[in-house]
Amino acid sequence: MDRDDPQNKKRISIREGLFTTPLVPVEQAKLIGSQCKDCSEISLGKRQTCSNCGGVNLEEIPLSRQGKLWTYTVIRHKPPGDYKGPDPFVPFGLGLVEIPEGIRVLSPIQCDLEGIKVGMDLELEVYPLYTDENKNEVLAFRFRPV
Ligand SMILES: [Zn+2]
């Protein structure tokens, strides 16, 4: 059994159409992509129109949990606005992760900043970012070293 006792809490995605369901266990959740049937372009998340050709024949596909770090930067200052990360702020890597489907996903990289390297193998981690006012666990994603 899950030690977090999911019976009492509902898990919801930070953005609709971002993850495959069910969200329990989170280890099996994947990111959703939308593939255009006209031009084959793949975009992150559930979409109504293709960002490449504007077509509307999109098909939902589960994206791979594995990827490689394509490039990254380190965020050293707390982002403005409604930031939900740790308080006090902890610097983190923000990278573009290339997944086998050929797209690059912008994602926090959960990794020791000393060890972060372009080309490193990463895997998806879906995790509770915060608990909202209705006691729902709000799930976000990041990538971490394999
Ligand atoms: Zn298209």
Side-chain angles (χ1 to χ4, degrees):
M1 275 313 287
D2 193 330
R3 56 194 136 71
D4 293 329
D5 193 13
Q7 309 302 331
N8 304 332
K9 290 185 267 182
K10 208 175 147 200
R11 287 177 166 169
I12 60 173
S13 172
I14 192 162
R15 211 175 85 204
E16 202 172 325
L18 189 59
F19 301 121
T20 57
T21 52
L23 288 169
V24 179
V26 286
E27 292 75 20
Q28 284 170 21
K30 293 177 176 171
L31 292 170
I32 290 177
S34 296
Q35 182 161 34
C36 177
K37 289 182 181 170
D38 298 326
C39 74
S40 300
E41 179 88 358
I42 299 174
S43 323
L44 180 64
K46 202 186 269 189
R47 290 173 184 253
Q48 305 299 324
T49 53
C50 173
S51 55
N52 185 48
C53 74
V56 293
N57 288 317
L58 298 181
E59 180 180 33
E60 246 177 67
I61 55 168
L63 298 175
S64 302
R65 294 177 50 89
Q66 272 71 42
K68 273 187 194 299
L69 186 57
W70 190 71
T71 190
Y72 72 94
T73 188
V74 175
I75 307 295
R76 298 192 185 277
H77 300 279
K78 185 179 165 181
D82 195 15
Y83 180 68
K84 302 288 193 192
D87 184 22
F89 176 75
V90 178
F92 63 95
L94 183 67
L96 283 173
V97 180
E98 191 160 62
I99 58 173
E101 286 77 11
I103 64 169
R104 295 178 191 133
V105 178
L106 183 68
S107 169
I109 308 300
Q110 177 66 16
C111 170
D112 181 358
L113 293 179
E114 306 295 310
I116 194 165
K117 269 202 183 78
V118 166
M120 71 196 297
D121 289 314
L122 300 170
E123 69 180 358
L124 180 73
E125 180 183 25
V126 177
Y127 70 104
L129 180 60
Y130 64 96
T131 303
D132 72 8
E133 64 278 5
N134 300 317
K135 304 255 190 290
N136 295 317
E137 263 190 348
V138 181
L139 300 179
F141 74 90
R142 60 193 174 192
F143 279 81
R144 65 174 179 210
V146 174

